Structure formats: C-alpha cells, structure tokens
Tab-separated table of all heavy atoms in Angstrom:
chain	number	residue	atom	x	y	z
A	1	VAL	N	0.836	-1.201	0.000
A	1	VAL	CA	0.000	0.000	0.000
A	1	VAL	C	0.872	1.252	0.000
A	1	VAL	O	0.610	2.217	-0.739
A	1	VAL	CB	-0.960	-0.011	1.208
A	1	VAL	CG1	-1.813	1.256	1.215
A	1	VAL	CG2	-1.842	-1.252	1.184
A	2	ARG	N	1.911	1.246	0.813
A	2	ARG	CA	2.818	2.396	0.838
A	2	ARG	C	3.438	2.626	-0.544
A	2	ARG	O	3.509	3.770	-1.032
A	2	ARG	CB	3.915	2.176	1.874
A	2	ARG	CG	4.878	3.343	1.922
A	2	ARG	CD	6.071	3.097	2.805
A	2	ARG	NE	6.666	4.400	3.060
A	2	ARG	CZ	6.679	5.006	4.225
A	2	ARG	NH1	6.185	4.418	5.275
A	2	ARG	NH2	7.198	6.216	4.359
A	3	GLU	N	3.905	1.557	-1.176
A	3	GLU	CA	4.516	1.686	-2.503
A	3	GLU	C	3.545	2.325	-3.479
A	3	GLU	O	3.909	3.220	-4.253
A	3	GLU	CB	4.939	0.299	-2.996
A	3	GLU	CG	5.684	0.307	-4.314
A	3	GLU	CD	7.120	0.763	-4.196
A	3	GLU	OE1	7.637	0.829	-3.052
A	3	GLU	OE2	7.750	1.052	-5.238
A	4	LEU	N	2.300	1.882	-3.450
A	4	LEU	CA	1.281	2.428	-4.343
A	4	LEU	C	1.074	3.917	-4.094
A	4	LEU	O	1.096	4.732	-5.029
A	4	LEU	CB	-0.028	1.657	-4.138
A	4	LEU	CG	-1.176	1.987	-5.101
A	4	LEU	CD1	-0.853	1.502	-6.497
A	4	LEU	CD2	-2.471	1.358	-4.602
A	5	LEU	N	0.910	4.297	-2.837
A	5	LEU	CA	0.645	5.702	-2.518
A	5	LEU	C	1.824	6.598	-2.865
A	5	LEU	O	1.649	7.714	-3.375
A	5	LEU	CB	0.284	5.839	-1.034
A	5	LEU	CG	-1.089	5.273	-0.636
A	5	LEU	CD1	-1.283	5.351	0.866
A	5	LEU	CD2	-2.211	6.010	-1.358
A	6	GLU	N	3.030	6.134	-2.594
A	6	GLU	CA	4.199	6.961	-2.901
A	6	GLU	C	4.368	7.136	-4.409
A	6	GLU	O	4.749	8.215	-4.870
A	6	GLU	CB	5.447	6.369	-2.268
A	6	GLU	CG	5.454	6.501	-0.743
A	6	GLU	CD	6.771	6.096	-0.117
A	6	GLU	OE1	7.540	5.353	-0.762
A	6	GLU	OE2	7.021	6.522	1.031
A	7	LEU	N	4.089	6.101	-5.183
A	7	LEU	CA	4.151	6.231	-6.641
A	7	LEU	C	3.091	7.200	-7.148
A	7	LEU	O	3.277	7.852	-8.180
A	7	LEU	CB	3.978	4.861	-7.291
A	7	LEU	CG	5.183	3.921	-7.190
A	7	LEU	CD1	4.803	2.515	-7.636
A	7	LEU	CD2	6.345	4.436	-8.038
A	8	TRP	N	1.980	7.302	-6.436
A	8	TRP	CA	0.923	8.226	-6.820
A	8	TRP	C	1.171	9.633	-6.271
A	8	TRP	O	0.363	10.525	-6.483
A	8	TRP	CB	-0.429	7.711	-6.336
A	8	TRP	CG	-0.921	6.511	-7.082
A	8	TRP	CD1	-0.206	5.669	-7.896
A	8	TRP	CD2	-2.253	5.997	-7.083
A	8	TRP	NE1	-0.995	4.674	-8.387
A	8	TRP	CE2	-2.258	4.838	-7.914
A	8	TRP	CE3	-3.430	6.372	-6.462
A	8	TRP	CZ2	-3.418	4.087	-8.141
A	8	TRP	CZ3	-4.577	5.614	-6.675
A	8	TRP	CH2	-4.572	4.488	-7.510
A	9	GLY	N	2.262	9.812	-5.547
A	9	GLY	CA	2.644	11.151	-5.102
A	9	GLY	C	2.290	11.506	-3.678
A	9	GLY	O	2.380	12.672	-3.298
A	10	PHE	N	1.935	10.516	-2.849
A	10	PHE	CA	1.561	10.795	-1.462
A	10	PHE	C	2.646	10.254	-0.533
A	10	PHE	O	2.903	9.051	-0.502
A	10	PHE	CB	0.206	10.152	-1.127
A	10	PHE	CG	-0.927	10.721	-1.925
A	10	PHE	CD1	-1.258	10.180	-3.161
A	10	PHE	CD2	-1.649	11.807	-1.461
A	10	PHE	CE1	-2.288	10.701	-3.912
A	10	PHE	CE2	-2.685	12.342	-2.209
A	10	PHE	CZ	-3.014	11.790	-3.438
A	11	SER	N	3.278	11.157	0.207
A	11	SER	CA	4.385	10.769	1.087
A	11	SER	C	3.863	10.488	2.491
A	11	SER	O	3.030	11.227	3.017
A	11	SER	CB	5.431	11.884	1.145
A	11	SER	OG	5.971	12.103	-0.145
A	12	GLY	N	4.408	9.431	3.084
A	12	GLY	CA	3.995	9.049	4.430
A	12	GLY	C	5.129	9.173	5.419
A	12	GLY	O	6.075	9.937	5.206
A	13	PRO	N	5.087	8.415	6.507
A	13	PRO	CA	6.110	8.491	7.542
A	13	PRO	C	7.448	7.984	7.021
A	13	PRO	O	7.527	7.208	6.066
A	13	PRO	CB	5.560	7.586	8.651
A	13	PRO	CG	4.648	6.632	7.945
A	13	PRO	CD	4.050	7.409	6.822
A	14	ALA	N	8.527	8.435	7.672
A	14	ALA	CA	9.872	8.019	7.273
A	14	ALA	C	10.030	6.514	7.417
A	14	ALA	O	9.470	5.899	8.317
A	14	ALA	CB	10.907	8.745	8.134
A	15	HIS	N	10.785	5.927	6.498
A	15	HIS	CA	11.068	4.489	6.577
A	15	HIS	C	12.476	4.261	6.038
A	15	HIS	O	12.674	3.723	4.961
A	15	HIS	CB	10.020	3.650	5.838
A	15	HIS	CG	9.882	3.986	4.369
A	15	HIS	ND1	9.838	3.021	3.387
A	15	HIS	CD2	9.780	5.159	3.721
A	15	HIS	CE1	9.722	3.590	2.204
A	15	HIS	NE2	9.666	4.896	2.384
A	16	GLU	N	13.444	4.682	6.829
A	16	GLU	CA	14.834	4.619	6.401
A	16	GLU	C	15.344	3.176	6.409
A	16	GLU	O	15.119	2.425	7.356
A	16	GLU	CB	15.687	5.480	7.345
A	16	GLU	CG	17.150	5.580	6.932
A	16	GLU	CD	17.934	6.507	7.837
A	16	GLU	OE1	17.344	7.091	8.759
A	16	GLU	OE2	19.154	6.638	7.607
A	17	THR	N	16.033	2.805	5.338
A	17	THR	CA	16.654	1.486	5.250
A	17	THR	C	18.124	1.600	5.640
A	17	THR	O	18.850	2.433	5.091
A	17	THR	CB	16.547	0.908	3.832
A	17	THR	OG1	15.166	0.800	3.471
A	17	THR	CG2	17.184	-0.468	3.755
A	18	ILE	N	18.542	0.778	6.598
A	18	ILE	CA	19.915	0.816	7.078
A	18	ILE	C	20.470	-0.604	7.148
A	18	ILE	O	19.726	-1.580	7.030
A	18	ILE	CB	20.036	1.488	8.463
A	18	ILE	CG1	19.284	0.659	9.522
A	18	ILE	CG2	19.521	2.916	8.430
A	18	ILE	CD1	19.519	1.120	10.944
A	19	SER	N	21.774	-0.707	7.322
A	19	SER	CA	22.406	-1.998	7.547
A	19	SER	C	22.628	-2.166	9.041
A	19	SER	O	23.137	-1.265	9.715
A	19	SER	CB	23.741	-2.074	6.801
A	19	SER	OG	24.372	-3.312	7.027
A	20	VAL	N	22.234	-3.337	9.573
A	20	VAL	CA	22.405	-3.620	10.994
A	20	VAL	C	23.159	-4.942	11.134
A	20	VAL	O	23.282	-5.720	10.183
A	20	VAL	CB	21.049	-3.710	11.727
A	20	VAL	CG1	20.281	-2.413	11.604
A	20	VAL	CG2	20.217	-4.879	11.191
A	21	VAL	N	23.649	-5.183	12.343
A	21	VAL	CA	24.291	-6.457	12.656
A	21	VAL	C	23.253	-7.371	13.286
A	21	VAL	O	22.571	-6.981	14.244
A	21	VAL	CB	25.480	-6.240	13.617
A	21	VAL	CG1	26.076	-7.582	14.032
A	21	VAL	CG2	26.537	-5.364	12.966
A	22	ALA	N	23.121	-8.573	12.752
A	22	ALA	CA	22.200	-9.538	13.347
A	22	ALA	C	22.751	-9.976	14.698
A	22	ALA	O	23.856	-10.506	14.792
A	22	ALA	CB	22.020	-10.740	12.428
A	23	GLY	N	21.981	-9.750	15.776
A	23	GLY	CA	22.439	-10.117	17.111
A	23	GLY	C	22.436	-11.612	17.339
A	23	GLY	O	23.195	-12.129	18.167
A	24	GLU	N	21.573	-12.328	16.631
A	24	GLU	CA	21.540	-13.783	16.674
A	24	GLU	C	21.112	-14.283	15.308
A	24	GLU	O	20.604	-13.519	14.478
A	24	GLU	CB	20.597	-14.287	17.767
A	24	GLU	CG	19.155	-13.855	17.633
A	24	GLU	CD	18.304	-14.349	18.798
A	24	GLU	OE1	18.805	-15.142	19.603
A	24	GLU	OE2	17.139	-13.936	18.880
A	25	THR	N	21.321	-15.527	15.038
A	25	THR	CA	21.004	-16.090	13.734
A	25	THR	C	19.498	-16.015	13.469
A	25	THR	O	18.684	-16.369	14.324
A	25	THR	CB	21.492	-17.546	13.640
A	25	THR	OG1	22.924	-17.549	13.755
A	25	THR	CG2	21.096	-18.170	12.317
A	26	VAL	N	19.164	-15.522	12.274
A	26	VAL	CA	17.773	-15.398	11.859
A	26	VAL	C	17.545	-16.365	10.713
A	26	VAL	O	18.063	-16.177	9.607
A	26	VAL	CB	17.445	-13.957	11.407
A	26	VAL	CG1	15.961	-13.826	11.094
A	26	VAL	CG2	17.862	-12.953	12.464
A	27	GLY	N	16.791	-17.428	10.970
A	27	GLY	CA	16.512	-18.416	9.941
A	27	GLY	C	15.387	-17.984	9.040
A	27	GLY	O	14.507	-17.204	9.424
A	28	SER	N	15.395	-18.475	7.805
A	28	SER	CA	14.343	-18.135	6.851
A	28	SER	C	14.184	-19.285	5.864
A	28	SER	O	15.079	-20.110	5.701
A	28	SER	CB	14.699	-16.846	6.102
A	28	SER	OG	13.689	-16.492	5.181
A	29	ASP	N	13.039	-19.341	5.211
A	29	ASP	CA	12.827	-20.299	4.133
A	29	ASP	C	13.373	-19.696	2.853
A	29	ASP	O	12.948	-18.596	2.464
A	29	ASP	CB	11.333	-20.598	3.970
A	29	ASP	CG	10.742	-21.214	5.230
A	29	ASP	OD1	11.417	-22.066	5.838
A	29	ASP	OD2	9.615	-20.829	5.605
A	30	ASP	N	14.307	-20.385	2.202
A	30	ASP	CA	15.007	-19.747	1.094
A	30	ASP	C	14.160	-19.583	-0.167
A	30	ASP	O	14.602	-18.973	-1.134
A	30	ASP	CB	16.306	-20.496	0.761
A	30	ASP	CG	16.075	-21.954	0.377
A	30	ASP	OD1	14.902	-22.346	0.249
A	30	ASP	OD2	17.068	-22.677	0.214
A	31	PHE	N	12.907	-20.084	-0.158
A	31	PHE	CA	12.060	-19.918	-1.342
A	31	PHE	C	11.185	-18.671	-1.245
A	31	PHE	O	10.355	-18.417	-2.122
A	31	PHE	CB	11.169	-21.157	-1.546
A	31	PHE	CG	10.196	-21.404	-0.434
A	31	PHE	CD1	8.936	-20.834	-0.448
A	31	PHE	CD2	10.549	-22.206	0.648
A	31	PHE	CE1	8.043	-21.057	0.585
A	31	PHE	CE2	9.657	-22.436	1.675
A	31	PHE	CZ	8.401	-21.863	1.649
A	32	LEU	N	11.358	-17.878	-0.175
A	32	LEU	CA	10.538	-16.677	-0.039
A	32	LEU	C	11.340	-15.518	0.547
A	32	LEU	O	12.451	-15.694	1.051
A	32	LEU	CB	9.297	-16.959	0.809
A	32	LEU	CG	9.444	-17.649	2.172
A	32	LEU	CD1	10.040	-16.735	3.215
A	32	LEU	CD2	8.069	-18.145	2.641
A	33	ASP	N	10.769	-14.315	0.459
A	33	ASP	CA	11.305	-13.130	1.132
A	33	ASP	C	10.686	-13.075	2.517
A	33	ASP	O	9.449	-13.117	2.649
A	33	ASP	CB	10.957	-11.856	0.365
A	33	ASP	CG	11.793	-11.665	-0.889
A	33	ASP	OD1	11.497	-12.337	-1.906
A	33	ASP	OD2	12.724	-10.863	-0.848
A	34	GLU	N	11.537	-12.986	3.540
A	34	GLU	CA	11.009	-12.884	4.897
A	34	GLU	C	11.243	-11.493	5.449
A	34	GLU	O	12.342	-10.925	5.331
A	34	GLU	CB	11.641	-13.919	5.827
A	34	GLU	CG	11.134	-13.783	7.260
A	34	GLU	CD	11.199	-15.061	8.062
A	34	GLU	OE1	11.702	-16.065	7.540
A	34	GLU	OE2	10.747	-15.054	9.217
A	35	PHE	N	10.199	-10.949	6.072
A	35	PHE	CA	10.265	-9.633	6.709
A	35	PHE	C	10.017	-9.864	8.193
A	35	PHE	O	8.885	-10.062	8.630
A	35	PHE	CB	9.237	-8.689	6.080
A	35	PHE	CG	9.467	-8.488	4.611
A	35	PHE	CD1	8.855	-9.326	3.680
A	35	PHE	CD2	10.318	-7.505	4.153
A	35	PHE	CE1	9.087	-9.176	2.324
A	35	PHE	CE2	10.555	-7.343	2.798
A	35	PHE	CZ	9.933	-8.178	1.882
A	36	ARG	N	11.083	-9.815	8.963
A	36	ARG	CA	11.037	-10.208	10.376
A	36	ARG	C	11.069	-8.982	11.263
A	36	ARG	O	12.012	-8.164	11.195
A	36	ARG	CB	12.245	-11.112	10.666
A	36	ARG	CG	12.253	-11.759	12.032
A	36	ARG	CD	11.358	-12.988	12.071
A	36	ARG	NE	11.570	-13.719	13.320
A	36	ARG	CZ	12.442	-14.708	13.474
A	36	ARG	NH1	13.193	-15.112	12.450
A	36	ARG	NH2	12.549	-15.325	14.634
A	37	PHE	N	10.070	-8.815	12.083
A	37	PHE	CA	10.055	-7.709	13.038
A	37	PHE	C	11.226	-7.875	14.007
A	37	PHE	O	11.552	-8.993	14.438
A	37	PHE	CB	8.735	-7.668	13.791
A	37	PHE	CG	7.605	-7.129	12.970
A	37	PHE	CD1	6.966	-7.926	12.021
A	37	PHE	CD2	7.188	-5.821	13.118
A	37	PHE	CE1	5.931	-7.431	11.253
A	37	PHE	CE2	6.149	-5.314	12.356
A	37	PHE	CZ	5.525	-6.120	11.417
A	38	ALA	N	11.857	-6.754	14.355
A	38	ALA	CA	13.051	-6.823	15.187
A	38	ALA	C	13.175	-5.558	16.032
A	38	ALA	O	12.517	-4.546	15.777
A	38	ALA	CB	14.299	-6.989	14.314
A	39	ALA	N	14.041	-5.664	17.051
A	39	ALA	CA	14.374	-4.517	17.901
A	39	ALA	C	15.834	-4.178	17.652
A	39	ALA	O	16.703	-5.058	17.697
A	39	ALA	CB	14.150	-4.850	19.369
A	40	ALA	N	16.108	-2.900	17.377
A	40	ALA	CA	17.471	-2.461	17.066
A	40	ALA	C	17.884	-1.337	17.993
A	40	ALA	O	17.055	-0.553	18.473
A	40	ALA	CB	17.570	-2.006	15.608
A	41	ALA	N	19.184	-1.267	18.257
A	41	ALA	CA	19.736	-0.199	19.096
A	41	ALA	C	21.232	-0.115	18.827
A	41	ALA	O	21.840	-1.030	18.251
A	41	ALA	CB	19.472	-0.467	20.580
A	42	GLU	N	21.803	0.988	19.260
A	42	GLU	CA	23.255	1.135	19.201
A	42	GLU	C	23.847	0.422	20.413
A	42	GLU	O	23.562	0.769	21.558
A	42	GLU	CB	23.642	2.608	19.204
A	42	GLU	CG	25.129	2.847	19.057
A	42	GLU	CD	25.484	4.316	19.054
A	42	GLU	OE1	24.704	5.126	18.496
A	42	GLU	OE2	26.542	4.666	19.618
A	43	VAL	N	24.668	-0.599	20.142
A	43	VAL	CA	25.292	-1.392	21.199
A	43	VAL	C	26.798	-1.399	20.959
A	43	VAL	O	27.260	-1.886	19.921
A	43	VAL	CB	24.767	-2.847	21.219
A	43	VAL	CG1	25.395	-3.620	22.377
A	43	VAL	CG2	23.249	-2.876	21.323
C-alpha cells in the first residue's frame, strides 16, 4: 500500500533502510522473502 501511494505522489512516515548487525542467527525459508520484526539499538 505504501509503494502504491508513494508512486501516486503521497508521502507518508519516514522508513529509512539501514544496515544492521544480526544479534543472533535469523533463519528463513530460502524460497521466499522474509520480513522479520526486530528490535534495534546502538550497542
């Protein structure tokens, strides 16, 4: 939905993409894209 609205010219809340260090191993099924909710901080 966000992608659709932004392409149509409507800007929403910030959603910055950054690189983080995985604190523990995150498994995924390699046949799909996984979007895993996480908690991040400067450590």
Side-chain angles (χ1 to χ4, degrees):
V1 179
R2 180 187 197 112
E3 185 76 14
L4 186 69
L5 289 175
E6 290 188 339
L7 286 169
W8 289 16
F10 296 89
S11 298
H15 58 133
E16 185 176 358
T17 301
I18 64 171
S19 179
V20 300
V21 175
E24 60 183 352
T25 297
V26 185
S28 181
D29 299 319
D30 59 7
F31 63 89
L32 50 73
D33 285 78
E34 178 154 4
F35 300 90
R36 188 81 170 268
F37 285 79
E42 184 180 324
V43 183

